[in-house]
Amino acid sequence: MLVQIRKDTLINAVQHVLRAVAVNSPIPILQGIDIHAGTDGIILTASNISMTIQYKIPQDNVSTTVQRAGAVVIPARYFYDVIRKLNNEVVVLELKDKLVLTVMSGGSRVSLCGMDSTEFPSLNNEELYSKRMQINNLMFRSAIKQVAIVASTSETRPVLTGVFFECDNDSLNLIATDGIRLAYQNLHNKNSSNDNFKAIIPAKNLYEISKMLIDDDVTTEIEVSGNRIQFKASGLKVQSALIDGTFPSIKNVVPKSYLCEILVNRIGLLQAVECVTVLASESVIKLVADPNKLKLLSSTAEVGDIENEVSLMEMLGDGFNISLNGKFLIDILRNCDCTSLRLKYAGKNNPIAVLPNDSGISTLFLITPIRTHT
Amino acid sequence: MLVQIRKDTLINAVQHVLRAVAVNSPIPILQGIDIHAGTDGIILTASNISMTIQYKIPQDNVSTTVQRAGAVVIPARYFYDVIRKLNNEVVVLELKDKLVLTVMSGGSRVSLCGMDSTEFPSLNNEELYSKRMQINNLMFRSAIKQVAIVASTSETRPVLTGVFFECDNDSLNLIATDGIRLAYQNLHNKNSSNDNFKAIIPAKNLYEISKMLIDDDVTTEIEVSGNRIQFKASGLKVQSALIDGTFPSIKNVVPKSYLCEILVNRIGLLQAVECVTVLASESVIKLVADPNKLKLLSSTAEVGDIENEVSLMEMLGDGFNISLNGKFLIDILRNCDCTSLRLKYAGKNNPIAVLPNDSGISTLFLITPIRTHT
C-alpha cells in the first residue's frame, strides 16, 4: 500500500468509523481499523460485531491518490491520536513490511504495527437485502432522538434495548419501551417502497447512525435482511445486527379512553419539571391538574420542598392527581420539537399519555405512574 | 430575612462562592452557603476551611432590595440547582421560620431547610494583616497558570502541594515543584509595597482564585498574615490558609552553567511533543539535538514508534541526547504565551532548563531527565 491523502480527509473518515471500534474488546483486531487501498480509493472499516461501519474515500488524484494497493488493520486509537497531531496537510501511508504501516507527514515518521486484514470481520456484502425503504435524514434523526432514549439500558430483556421498526406500506412505526415508559412514532414515509418488514434494532447503534446522517435534505437508503439492517449514505455504509425476539405489542398498553386532557406550553412545562425534580426524592414528582393550572410538587426529607405552577392553555375533564418519575418526563420534553403538548390522564392505574401538539408526525409517549401513599 | 433580587445577580454571586463549598464534607454546614442580609446588602460566604470566599451584593434598590435583615446557611448544591431553573427574572428570599428559607419566583415556591448561621466558619476579619502587596490580574493569572501546574498533587510532602510566594521589595518570586519538575517566575511588581514576606499557598486554591480575577486591567490587593493570605477584588474577598513548613531552596537545583542551548518555536515544538507522546511508553520521550534540528523519538512495544523533527532557530554547543516525561514538557509548552523558547542542557544528570524567550517576565522551568539504558 502506498497512499497520499489530505490530513483533513483522513481524519474525517477515521472519525466516522471510530464509532464502531470496540475500544475495550478482548479481541485485539476489533480495536483496529481496516484500511483497504484499491484502484478506486481507500475503504476504512471498523466493527464491534453488533455494528460495522464502512467509509469510502474515493481516489480523485487531488486530495487522495492510491499509488499501490494493499490492506492492513491498525490500532484505531493510536492511529487517530497520531494523525490529529501531525502538522503537515498531506499524509503518506505506506505498508513497507507486510504488517507495518508507516505514516509520513512533514517532519514526522510513524511506524504502527498492524494486523492481518483478511482476519477482519468485513461488511456482509453478498447477503441479499430483500426489503428496502428510504427515509429523510432530518425526519430520521428527529425520530431516533425522541424514541431511542426510552429504550432500556438493562440487558435483562434484550428486546427492550432495541427500537422496533414496523414498516407497513407507506408508513413506518418506531416503538421503544423500557417497561415503565414507552415512545411511539408513526412516520408517514412517502419515499418508502412497498416492502413490509419488522425489525428490532439496538437503540445505541441507531443513536450512532443518526449522528452520522447529518445532511438534512438527503434521503438514506435502508435495507433489511433476516438478521441485519443496512444504512447507505454517500461514502458511508453501516450495518447493524438485529435483536432476535418478539417486541411486546402496544395494543393493550395504550389507554382506550381518557378521563382528563390538558394542553400546555412545552418549554414552560420543561422548566417547571426541571425545577421541581431538583428536590424530588428518587425523582418522584406529583402533578395536580386543576382548572386553569397544573401544579407540580416534590420534596426531599430534611432538605425541603418545591411547588411550581404552569398555566394551562386548554383543559377537558375534571383534573387529576398523579405521581411519576420527573426525569422520564424531562427526557420527553427535551427531545420534542413542538411548542405545546397534551397530557392525557386515564385513571390512577393507567399510564399517562404525552402527545406533541403538532401536525404531520404522529407521536405518543406513555409514562407509568408511581403509586404513592399520599 | 426578606430580600428581593434579580435572578442573574444571585446566580453570579452563588457561582463565585460555590468554588469554596466543601461538597463532600462530613460536616453538613460546610456543604452550605451562608446568606447574610443586612442594611448595606447581601453577603454570601462559603468555606472548605482551607479556603473561604465571601461575595457581597450591594443593596441598590434596583436589582437588590433588603426589606428585612437576617441570616441562614442553606445547602449549596440544591440552592444553586433550584435558582438556575426558576423562570422569572426576580427572586424573593424570605426566612419565615428561623431556619426555613422560602424562595419565590413566578409560579415557583421553594422551601429549603437551613442551618444556624452563627455556626458557620466566618471570614477572619479581625486578624491584623500585616503585609500588603498589589498585583495586576492579567499578570497574576498568567503566572498561576504557568507555575501552579507544576505543584505536587500528592500529600506526602505537603509543602510541595503549594506555590511559594517570595515578596522582596519590588519583585515577587513564585516557585512550585513536585520534585521532578520545577517552575520559577519572577514578577517585577511595581505596585507592591515595601513589605517583604514568604508564604506557601495551596496550588489548588490559587487556581480557583485566579479564575475569579477576570478583569485584566484591575489590580488585586493581597494581604498576608501569619497563617493566611487574603485576596480582595470588587465585591470579593478570598482567604486561603497557608501551608506550614519550609519550601526547598532552588539555589542548588538550577544548573550553574550549560553545555548546549537551542532556540525553537513553541507551537512547533508543542505539536511535535504531543505527537510523539501518543506512542510514548510511560510518557518517556527522547530529545536529540543535532545542528539545525531537534529530533523527538518514542516507542511502545508491539504498537510502534514515532520520529519527529523540529527545526532549530539557533544552537550553541555540541548538541545533546536526553530522555524525559513528554507530558511534563507538554504542560510547560501549553501554558507559556511566548512564541519561542530556549532549551538548555547541563549534562546527563542535571535537569534540562526551559526558558520562554520573551522580555519582561523572567521565567524558568526545569525537568529532571529519565535515565534510560539506550
Side-chain angles (χ1 to χ4, degrees), chain B residues 5-75:
Chain B
I5 186 170
R6 274 184 62 86
K7 189 178 84 166
D8 297 346
T9 309
L10 182 60
I11 289 177
N12 175 52
V14 172
Q15 281 169 340
H16 272 91
V17 299
L18 217 49
R19 298 177 190 276
V21 171
V23 183
N24 299 314
S25 171
I27 307 164
I29 206 162
L30 296 185
Q31 299 174 16
I33 294 174
D34 182 39
I35 303 182
H36 200 286
T39 46
D40 54 348
I42 306 166
I43 295 172
L44 302 185
T45 312
S47 175
N48 57 20
I49 303 300
S50 171
M51 179 166 66
T52 303
I53 303 177
Q54 191 175 83
Y55 191 87
K56 183 170 175 179
I57 309 163
Q59 163 153 255
D60 58 4
N61 293 317
V62 182
S63 78
T64 309
T65 313
V66 178
Q67 283 162 15
R68 196 165 67 235
V72 68
V73 178
I74 41 160

Coordinates of all heavy atoms in Angstrom, one line a residue, chain B residues 5-75:
Chain B
I5 N -34.3 40.2 44.8 CA -33.0 40.2 44.0 C -33.2 39.7 42.6 O -34.1 38.9 42.3 CB -31.9 39.4 44.7 CG1 -30.6 39.6 44.1 CG2 -32.3 38.0 44.9 CD1 -29.4 39.0 44.9
R6 N -32.5 40.3 41.6 CA -32.5 39.8 40.3 C -31.9 38.4 40.2 O -30.8 38.1 40.8 CB -31.8 40.7 39.3 CG -32.6 41.9 38.8 CD -31.8 42.7 37.8 NE -31.5 41.9 36.6 CZ -32.3 41.7 35.6 NH1 -33.5 42.3 35.5 NH2 -31.9 40.9 34.6
K7 N -32.5 37.5 39.5 CA -32.0 36.1 39.4 C -30.6 36.1 38.9 O -29.7 35.3 39.5 CB -32.9 35.3 38.5 CG -32.6 33.8 38.5 CD -33.6 33.0 37.6 CE -33.1 33.0 36.1 NZ -33.8 32.0 35.3
D8 N -30.2 36.8 37.9 CA -28.8 36.8 37.3 C -27.8 37.2 38.4 O -26.7 36.7 38.4 CB -28.7 37.8 36.1 CG -29.7 37.3 35.0 OD1 -30.1 36.2 35.0 OD2 -29.9 38.1 34.1
T9 N -28.2 38.3 39.1 CA -27.3 38.8 40.2 C -27.0 37.7 41.2 O -25.9 37.5 41.6 CB -27.9 40.0 40.8 OG1 -28.3 40.9 39.8 CG2 -26.9 40.7 41.8
L10 N -28.1 37.0 41.6 CA -28.0 36.0 42.6 C -27.1 34.8 42.1 O -26.3 34.3 42.8 CB -29.4 35.5 43.0 CG -29.5 34.5 44.1 CD1 -28.8 34.9 45.4 CD2 -30.9 34.0 44.4
I11 N -27.4 34.4 40.9 CA -26.7 33.2 40.3 C -25.2 33.6 40.2 O -24.4 32.7 40.5 CB -27.3 32.9 38.9 CG1 -28.7 32.2 39.1 CG2 -26.3 31.9 38.1 CD1 -29.4 31.9 37.8
N12 N -24.9 34.8 39.7 CA -23.5 35.2 39.6 C -22.8 35.1 41.0 O -21.6 34.6 41.1 CB -23.4 36.6 39.0 CG -22.0 37.1 39.0 OD1 -21.1 36.4 38.4 ND2 -21.8 38.3 39.5
A13 N -23.4 35.6 42.0 CA -22.8 35.6 43.3 C -22.6 34.2 43.8 O -21.6 33.8 44.4 CB -23.7 36.4 44.3
V14 N -23.6 33.3 43.6 CA -23.5 31.9 44.1 C -22.4 31.2 43.4 O -21.6 30.4 44.0 CB -24.9 31.2 43.9 CG1 -24.7 29.7 44.2 CG2 -25.9 31.8 44.8
Q15 N -22.3 31.5 42.1 CA -21.2 30.8 41.3 C -19.8 31.2 41.8 O -18.9 30.4 41.8 CB -21.3 31.2 39.8 CG -22.4 30.4 39.1 CD -22.7 31.0 37.7 OE1 -22.4 32.1 37.4 NE2 -23.3 30.1 36.8
H16 N -19.7 32.4 42.3 CA -18.4 32.8 42.9 C -18.1 32.0 44.2 O -17.0 31.4 44.3 CB -18.4 34.3 43.3 CG -18.0 35.2 42.2 ND1 -18.8 35.7 41.2 CD2 -16.7 35.6 41.8 CE1 -18.2 36.4 40.4 NE2 -16.9 36.4 40.7
V17 N -19.0 31.9 45.1 CA -18.7 31.3 46.4 C -18.7 29.8 46.3 O -18.1 29.0 47.1 CB -19.6 31.7 47.5 CG1 -19.5 33.2 47.8 CG2 -21.1 31.4 47.3
L18 N -19.4 29.2 45.3 CA -19.5 27.8 45.1 C -18.2 27.1 45.0 O -18.0 25.9 45.4 CB -20.3 27.5 43.8 CG -21.3 26.3 43.7 CD1 -22.2 26.3 44.9 CD2 -22.1 26.4 42.4
R19 N -17.1 27.8 44.6 CA -15.8 27.2 44.4 C -15.2 26.8 45.8 O -14.3 26.0 45.8 CB -14.8 28.3 43.8 CG -15.2 28.7 42.4 CD -14.2 29.8 41.9 NE -14.7 30.3 40.7 CZ -14.5 29.8 39.5 NH1 -13.8 28.7 39.4 NH2 -14.9 30.4 38.4
A20 N -15.7 27.4 46.9 CA -15.2 27.0 48.2 C -16.1 26.1 48.9 O -15.8 25.7 50.1 CB -15.0 28.3 49.0
V21 N -17.2 25.7 48.4 CA -18.2 24.8 49.1 C -17.5 23.4 49.2 O -17.0 22.9 48.2 CB -19.5 24.7 48.4 CG1 -20.4 23.6 49.0 CG2 -20.2 26.0 48.5
A22 N -17.5 22.8 50.4 CA -17.0 21.5 50.6 C -18.1 20.5 50.3 O -18.7 20.0 51.2 CB -16.5 21.4 52.0
V23 N -18.2 20.1 49.0 CA -19.3 19.3 48.5 C -19.5 18.0 49.3 O -20.5 17.6 49.7 CB -19.2 19.0 47.0 CG1 -20.5 18.3 46.5 CG2 -19.1 20.4 46.3
N24 N -18.3 17.3 49.5 CA -18.4 16.0 50.2 C -18.0 16.0 51.6 O -17.6 15.0 52.2 CB -17.5 15.0 49.4 CG -18.0 14.9 47.9 OD1 -19.2 14.7 47.7 ND2 -17.1 15.0 47.0
S25 N -18.0 17.2 52.2 CA -17.6 17.3 53.6 C -18.5 16.5 54.6 O -19.7 16.5 54.4 CB -17.6 18.8 54.0 OG -17.4 18.9 55.4
P26 N -17.9 15.8 55.6 CA -18.7 15.2 56.6 C -19.4 16.2 57.5 O -20.3 15.8 58.2 CB -17.7 14.3 57.3 CG -16.3 15.0 57.1 CD -16.4 15.7 55.8
I27 N -19.0 17.4 57.5 CA -19.6 18.5 58.3 C -20.7 19.1 57.4 O -20.4 19.9 56.5 CB -18.6 19.5 58.8 CG1 -17.4 18.8 59.4 CG2 -19.2 20.5 59.7 CD1 -16.1 19.6 59.6
P28 N -22.0 18.9 57.7 CA -23.0 19.3 56.8 C -23.0 20.9 56.6 O -23.3 21.3 55.5 CB -24.3 19.0 57.6 CG -23.9 17.8 58.5 CD -22.5 18.1 58.8
I29 N -22.6 21.7 57.6 CA -22.7 23.1 57.4 C -21.7 23.6 56.3 O -22.0 24.6 55.7 CB -22.5 23.8 58.8 CG1 -23.2 25.2 58.7 CG2 -21.1 24.0 59.1 CD1 -23.5 25.8 60.0
L30 N -20.6 22.8 56.1 CA -19.7 23.2 55.1 C -20.2 22.9 53.7 O -19.6 23.4 52.7 CB -18.3 22.5 55.3 CG -17.6 22.9 56.6 CD1 -16.2 22.3 56.6 CD2 -17.5 24.4 56.8
Q31 N -21.3 22.2 53.6 CA -21.9 22.0 52.2 C -22.8 23.1 51.9 O -23.5 23.0 50.9 CB -22.6 20.6 52.2 CG -21.8 19.4 52.5 CD -22.6 18.1 52.6 OE1 -23.7 18.1 52.2 NE2 -22.0 17.1 53.1
G32 N -22.9 24.1 52.8 CA -23.8 25.1 52.6 C -23.2 26.5 52.3 O -22.0 26.6 52.2
I33 N -24.1 27.4 51.9 CA -23.7 28.8 51.7 C -24.4 29.7 52.8 O -25.6 29.5 53.0 CB -24.2 29.3 50.3 CG1 -23.4 28.5 49.2 CG2 -23.9 30.8 50.1 CD1 -24.0 28.8 47.8
D34 N -23.6 30.5 53.4 CA -24.1 31.4 54.4 C -24.6 32.6 53.7 O -23.9 33.3 53.0 CB -22.9 31.8 55.4 CG -23.4 32.7 56.5 OD1 -24.5 32.5 57.0 OD2 -22.7 33.6 56.9
I35 N -25.9 32.9 53.9 CA -26.5 34.1 53.3 C -26.8 35.1 54.4 O -27.5 34.7 55.4 CB -27.9 33.7 52.6 CG1 -27.6 32.7 51.5 CG2 -28.5 35.0 52.0 CD1 -28.9 32.3 50.8
H36 N -26.3 36.3 54.3 CA -26.4 37.2 55.4 C -26.9 38.5 54.8 O -26.2 39.2 54.0 CB -25.0 37.5 56.0 CG -25.1 38.0 57.4 ND1 -25.3 39.4 57.6 CD2 -24.9 37.5 58.6 CE1 -25.3 39.6 58.9 NE2 -25.1 38.5 59.5
A37 N -28.2 38.9 55.1 CA -28.8 40.1 54.5 C -28.7 41.2 55.6 O -29.2 41.0 56.7 CB -30.2 39.8 54.1
G38 N -28.2 42.3 55.2 CA -28.1 43.4 56.2 C -28.5 44.7 55.5 O -28.9 44.7 54.3
T39 N -28.3 45.8 56.2 CA -28.8 47.1 55.6 C -28.0 47.5 54.3 O -28.5 48.2 53.5 CB -28.7 48.2 56.6 OG1 -27.4 48.1 57.3 CG2 -29.8 48.1 57.6
D40 N -26.7 47.1 54.2 CA -26.0 47.5 53.1 C -25.9 46.5 51.9 O -25.3 46.7 50.9 CB -24.6 48.0 53.5 CG -23.8 46.9 54.2 OD1 -24.5 45.9 54.7 OD2 -22.6 47.0 54.4
G41 N -26.6 45.3 52.1 CA -26.6 44.4 51.0 C -26.6 42.9 51.5 O -26.9 42.7 52.7
I42 N -26.4 42.0 50.6 CA -26.4 40.6 50.9 C -24.9 40.1 50.8 O -24.3 40.3 49.8 CB -27.3 39.8 50.0 CG1 -28.7 40.5 49.9 CG2 -27.4 38.4 50.3 CD1 -29.5 40.0 48.7
I43 N -24.5 39.3 51.8 CA -23.2 38.8 51.8 C -23.3 37.2 51.8 O -23.9 36.6 52.6 CB -22.3 39.2 53.0 CG1 -22.1 40.7 53.0 CG2 -21.0 38.4 53.0 CD1 -21.4 41.3 54.2
L44 N -22.7 36.6 50.7 CA -22.7 35.2 50.6 C -21.3 34.7 51.0 O -20.3 35.2 50.5 CB -23.0 34.7 49.2 CG -24.3 35.1 48.6 CD1 -24.5 34.5 47.2 CD2 -25.5 34.8 49.5
T45 N -21.2 33.6 51.8 CA -19.9 33.1 52.2 C -20.0 31.6 52.1 O -21.0 30.9 52.4 CB -19.6 33.4 53.7 OG1 -19.9 34.8 53.9 CG2 -18.2 33.1 54.0
A46 N -18.9 31.0 51.6 CA -18.7 29.5 51.6 C -17.3 29.2 52.0 O -16.4 30.1 51.8 CB -19.0 29.0 50.2
S47 N -17.1 28.1 52.7 CA -15.8 27.8 53.2 C -15.5 26.3 53.2 O -16.4 25.5 53.6 CB -15.6 28.3 54.6 OG -14.4 28.0 55.2
N48 N -14.4 25.9 52.8 CA -14.0 24.5 53.0 C -12.8 24.4 54.0 O -12.0 23.5 53.9 CB -13.6 23.8 51.7 CG -12.5 24.5 50.9 OD1 -11.8 25.3 51.5 ND2 -12.4 24.3 49.6
I49 N -12.8 25.4 54.9 CA -11.7 25.5 55.9 C -10.4 26.0 55.3 O -9.9 27.0 55.7 CB -11.5 24.2 56.7 CG1 -12.8 23.8 57.4 CG2 -10.4 24.4 57.8 CD1 -13.4 24.8 58.3
S50 N -9.9 25.3 54.2 CA -8.7 25.7 53.6 C -8.9 27.1 52.9 O -8.0 27.9 52.8 CB -8.2 24.7 52.6 OG -7.1 25.2 51.8
M51 N -10.1 27.3 52.3 CA -10.3 28.5 51.6 C -11.7 29.0 51.9 O -12.7 28.2 52.0 CB -10.2 28.2 50.0 CG -10.5 29.5 49.2 SD -10.0 29.3 47.5 CE -11.1 28.0 46.9
T52 N -11.9 30.3 52.1 CA -13.1 30.9 52.4 C -13.4 32.0 51.4 O -12.5 32.8 51.1 CB -13.2 31.5 53.8 OG1 -12.8 30.5 54.7 CG2 -14.5 32.1 54.2
I53 N -14.5 32.0 50.7 CA -14.9 33.0 49.7 C -16.1 33.8 50.2 O -17.1 33.2 50.6 CB -15.2 32.4 48.4 CG1 -14.0 31.6 47.9 CG2 -15.5 33.5 47.3 CD1 -14.2 30.9 46.5
Q54 N -16.0 35.1 50.2 CA -17.1 36.0 50.5 C -17.4 36.9 49.4 O -16.5 37.5 48.8 CB -16.7 36.8 51.8 CG -17.9 37.5 52.4 CD -17.4 38.2 53.7 OE1 -16.9 39.3 53.6 NE2 -17.6 37.6 54.8
Y55 N -18.7 36.9 49.0 CA -19.1 37.8 47.9 C -20.2 38.7 48.3 O -21.2 38.2 48.9 CB -19.6 36.9 46.7 CG -19.7 37.7 45.4 CD1 -18.7 37.9 44.6 CD2 -21.0 38.3 45.1 CE1 -18.8 38.7 43.4 CE2 -21.1 39.0 43.9 CZ -20.0 39.2 43.1 OH -20.1 40.0 41.9
K56 N -20.1 40.0 48.1 CA -21.1 40.9 48.6 C -21.9 41.5 47.4 O -21.3 42.0 46.4 CB -20.4 42.1 49.3 CG -21.3 43.1 49.9 CD -20.6 44.0 50.8 CE -21.6 45.1 51.3 NZ -21.0 46.0 52.2
I57 N -23.2 41.4 47.5 CA -24.1 42.1 46.6 C -24.6 43.3 47.3 O -25.4 43.2 48.2 CB -25.3 41.2 46.2 CG1 -24.8 39.7 45.8 CG2 -26.1 41.8 45.1 CD1 -25.9 38.7 45.9
P58 N -24.2 44.5 46.8 CA -24.7 45.7 47.5 C -26.2 46.0 47.3 O -26.7 45.6 46.2 CB -23.8 46.8 46.8 CG -23.4 46.3 45.5 CD -23.4 44.8 45.6
Q59 N -26.8 46.6 48.3 CA -28.2 46.9 48.1 C -28.3 48.2 47.3 O -27.7 49.2 47.6 CB -28.8 47.2 49.5 CG -30.1 48.0 49.4 CD -31.0 47.7 50.6 OE1 -32.0 47.0 50.4 NE2 -30.7 48.3 51.7
D60 N -29.0 48.1 46.1 CA -29.1 49.3 45.3 C -30.6 49.7 45.0 O -30.8 50.6 44.3 CB -28.4 49.0 43.9 CG -28.9 47.8 43.2 OD1 -29.9 47.2 43.7 OD2 -28.4 47.5 42.2
N61 N -31.5 48.9 45.6 CA -32.9 49.1 45.5 C -33.4 49.0 44.0 O -34.5 49.4 43.7 CB -33.3 50.5 46.1 CG -33.2 50.4 47.6 OD1 -33.5 49.5 48.2 ND2 -32.6 51.5 48.1
V62 N -32.5 48.5 43.1 CA -32.9 48.3 41.8 C -32.9 46.8 41.5 O -33.9 46.1 41.5 CB -32.0 49.0 40.7 CG1 -32.5 48.7 39.3 CG2 -31.9 50.5 41.1
S63 N -31.7 46.2 41.5 CA -31.6 44.8 41.3 C -31.6 44.1 42.7 O -32.0 42.9 42.7 CB -30.3 44.4 40.5 OG -29.2 44.4 41.4
T64 N -31.3 44.8 43.7 CA -31.3 44.1 45.0 C -31.9 45.0 46.1 O -31.5 46.2 46.3 CB -29.8 43.8 45.4 OG1 -29.2 43.1 44.4 CG2 -29.7 43.0 46.7
T65 N -32.9 44.5 46.8 CA -33.5 45.2 47.9 C -33.6 44.4 49.2 O -34.2 43.3 49.1 CB -34.9 45.7 47.5 OG1 -34.9 46.3 46.2 CG2 -35.5 46.7 48.5
V66 N -33.1 44.8 50.3 CA -33.2 44.1 51.5 C -34.3 44.8 52.3 O -34.2 45.9 52.7 CB -31.9 44.1 52.3 CG1 -32.0 43.4 53.7 CG2 -30.7 43.5 51.5
Q67 N -35.4 44.0 52.6 CA -36.5 44.6 53.3 C -36.5 44.3 54.8 O -37.0 45.0 55.6 CB -37.8 44.1 52.7 CG -38.2 44.9 51.4 CD -39.2 44.2 50.5 OE1 -39.9 43.3 51.0 NE2 -39.3 44.7 49.3
R68 N -35.8 43.1 55.1 CA -35.7 42.7 56.5 C -34.4 41.9 56.6 O -34.1 41.1 55.8 CB -36.9 41.8 56.8 CG -37.1 41.6 58.3 CD -38.5 41.0 58.6 NE -38.6 39.6 58.2 CZ -39.6 39.2 57.4 NH1 -40.5 40.0 56.9 NH2 -39.7 37.9 57.0
A69 N -33.6 42.3 57.6 CA -32.3 41.6 57.7 C -32.4 40.2 58.3 O -33.5 39.8 58.8 CB -31.4 42.4 58.7
G70 N -31.4 39.4 58.2 CA -31.4 38.0 58.7 C -30.3 37.2 58.1 O -29.6 37.7 57.2
A71 N -30.1 36.0 58.6 CA -29.0 35.2 58.1 C -29.4 33.7 58.3 O -30.1 33.3 59.2 CB -27.8 35.4 58.9
V72 N -28.9 32.9 57.3 CA -29.2 31.4 57.4 C -28.1 30.7 56.5 O -27.6 31.4 55.5 CB -30.6 31.1 56.9 CG1 -30.8 31.4 55.4 CG2 -31.0 29.7 57.3
V73 N -27.8 29.5 56.8 CA -26.9 28.7 55.9 C -27.8 27.7 55.2 O -28.5 26.9 55.8 CB -25.9 27.9 56.7 CG1 -25.0 27.1 55.8 CG2 -25.0 28.9 57.5
I74 N -27.7 27.7 53.8 CA -28.6 26.7 53.1 C -27.7 25.8 52.2 O -26.6 26.2 51.8 CB -29.6 27.5 52.2 CG1 -28.9 28.7 51.5 CG2 -30.8 27.9 53.0 CD1 -29.6 29.1 50.3
P75 N -28.2 24.6 52.0 CA -27.5 23.6 51.2 C -27.1 24.2 49.8 O -28.0 24.5 49.0 CB -28.4 22.4 51.1 CG -29.7 22.8 51.6 CD -29.5 24.0 52.4

